[in-house]
Amino acid sequence: MTSDANVLAQAAAAAQAFLASLPDRHVGARATLAELRAALGGLLPEAGVAPTQVIADLVRHVDAGLIAMPGPRYFGFVIGGSYPVAVAADWLTSAWDQNAGLYAVSPAAAVVEDVAAGWLRALFGLPATAGVGFVTGGQMATFTCLAAARHAVLRRAGWDVEQDGLCGAAPITVVVGAEAHATIFAALRYLGLGAGRVRTVAADGQGRMRSDALRATLATCNGPTIVCAQAGNVNTGAFDPFPEIAPLTQRRGAWLHVDGAFGLWAAASPALRHLVAGVERADSWATDAHKWLNVPYDAGLAIVADASAHRAAMSVTAAYLIPGSSDQRDPLDWTPEFSRRARGFPIYATLRALGRQGVAELIERCCARARRMAERLAAAPRVTVLNDVVLNQVLVRFQPPLDGDADAFTRAVVERVQRDGTCWLSGTTWQGKGAMRISVCNWSTTEADADRSVDAILRAAVAIS
Ligand SMILES: *Cc1c(COP(=O)(O)O)cnc(C)c1O
């Protein structure tokens, strides 16, 4: 294979063409599995292919299998798009190809993470001394935070879990809300705490942990205890009542972890900050930059108030490493990875481009679009919005014209909308009821996009009535 400078310009042009197509592109995928396999498959070639040919083929063959996920009318799951400045910094991150593990290996990557960590703590109103790890996503953020929690609650019980493992340690009680995200349970599995050993606390009609139920559960817990709460329910967007939960866990000497994958960003908005009141009293917070900050994957953030517990759980030493001096940050002290991408660059660039005001406007704008969609949908006949739209999430249920099955009808509306391609969203089951789930977390979604999407949704419901 020859080096081929043209291939970079070719890729940049293809990337820009894709981004330019987003406002009008059919949002869902258009290719079938068989078509994608036929276009992309085959045996590993014996002889190589020219890089410009490879990139040209790749762009052509994946196109129909791409989803306009960074576009303005993608409302599936909780995804977020990418600001152009974030993509630009991400391109440079790949080109610079820095191993971000150690200060000695990449001083620039280490300093950029250090600076961005400070900006993020300030933006979220979290302690200035908290540890911040730049991880792959919310899953690893929660893993990292709960590893720090495991360290701290066992250290208080006189046990060194990093040296001695869990065998023989006092059992840790893990308390979760009934609406805890699936990634909490995966993290507990990775940490040897067991997904099935949790104590579950009842939630209310919006999915918020009930503090009276937490109080009752904590009264029956002995020994090392970790409580996992949530800022931003993945269906309703609701927030657990931190002003009540934080004192309860503190009094009990328990560790309080908050899954704020997207909801923690409410802290960045003066208008929405009340939703996370008290969240700063937790011990650890997991959040994502690839969701609501609109930077490309992978970008999760693990934040731990007790930086020494964070570091004790994550740091790695080896004879051949060159540890940074006390005022130099070694990024591998804060994440589960050793060698890794310098994922601080896109976050740094995006925060700098937006400023505090720009981040607040992004969050508030998405919530306003969600409210607009909810209001228009709720005003239509036989359409119900199931949740209080406090943030960016909307749950919608459709009643068929005659006395039919609303679950099946709602599912059919979701499928029809997906096929139509004006926008993309998915279904869910909320407290036993089938629902369409709309998540607005893209910087580029305009009021016109919100309206065009509502029109498409209502058109789909009429078409199958
Ligand atoms: C998305 C999400 C996660 C998982 O985050 P990833 O970045 O996908 O790993 C965890 N919790 C909540 C509430 C989420 O919305």
Side-chain angles (χ1 to χ4, degrees), residues 146-155 161-162 166 172 191 193 226:
L146 293 183
R150 187 181 69 162
H151 167 88
V153 298
L154 287 179
R155 186 187 52 197
V161 71
E162 278 68 39
L166 283 173
I172 298 175
L191 288 162
L193 296 174
I226 299 170

Side-chain angles (χ1 to χ4, degrees), residues 55-99:
I55 294 302
D57 289 348
L58 184 65
V59 167
R60 191 156 46 92
H61 292 151
V62 300
D63 191 68
L66 294 177
I67 292 185
M69 192 173 288
R73 292 183 310 283
Y74 184 87
F75 306 112
F77 309 100
V78 184
I79 291 282
S82 284
Y83 278 107
V85 68
V87 176
D90 204 60
W91 286 350
L92 288 169
T93 303
S94 289
W96 290 332
D97 195 20
Q98 302 289 289
N99 182 328

Side-chain angles (χ1 to χ4, degrees), residues 42-203:
L43 299 174
L44 174 65
E46 221 33 72
V49 175
T52 48
Q53 186 64 50
V54 171
I55 294 302
D57 289 348
L58 184 65
V59 167
R60 191 156 46 92
H61 292 151
V62 300
D63 191 68
L66 294 177
I67 292 185
M69 192 173 288
R73 292 183 310 283
Y74 184 87
F75 306 112
F77 309 100
V78 184
I79 291 282
S82 284
Y83 278 107
V85 68
V87 176
D90 204 60
W91 286 350
L92 288 169
T93 303
S94 289
W96 290 332
D97 195 20
Q98 302 289 289
N99 182 328
L102 291 173
Y103 180 90
V105 174
S106 181
V111 169
V112 159
E113 284 193 8
D114 210 10
V115 172
W119 291 353
L120 289 159
R121 285 184 297 246
L123 200 60
F124 296 135
L126 300 181
T129 50
V132 181
F134 291 74
V135 294
T136 50
Q139 172 70 79
M140 290 318 281
T142 282
F143 168 80
T144 303
C145 290
L146 293 183
R150 187 181 69 162
H151 167 88
V153 298
L154 287 179
R155 186 187 52 197
R156 280 181 224 142
W159 188 265
D160 181 348
V161 71
E162 278 68 39
Q163 285 308 308
D164 299 325
L166 283 173
C167 298
I172 298 175
T173 304
V174 180
V175 178
V176 304
E179 279 289 326
H181 193 268
T183 49
I184 294 280
F185 301 98
L188 293 173
R189 266 176 20 225
Y190 309 157
L191 288 162
L193 296 174
R197 287 181 66 252
V198 296
R199 305 277 306 270
T200 305
V201 173

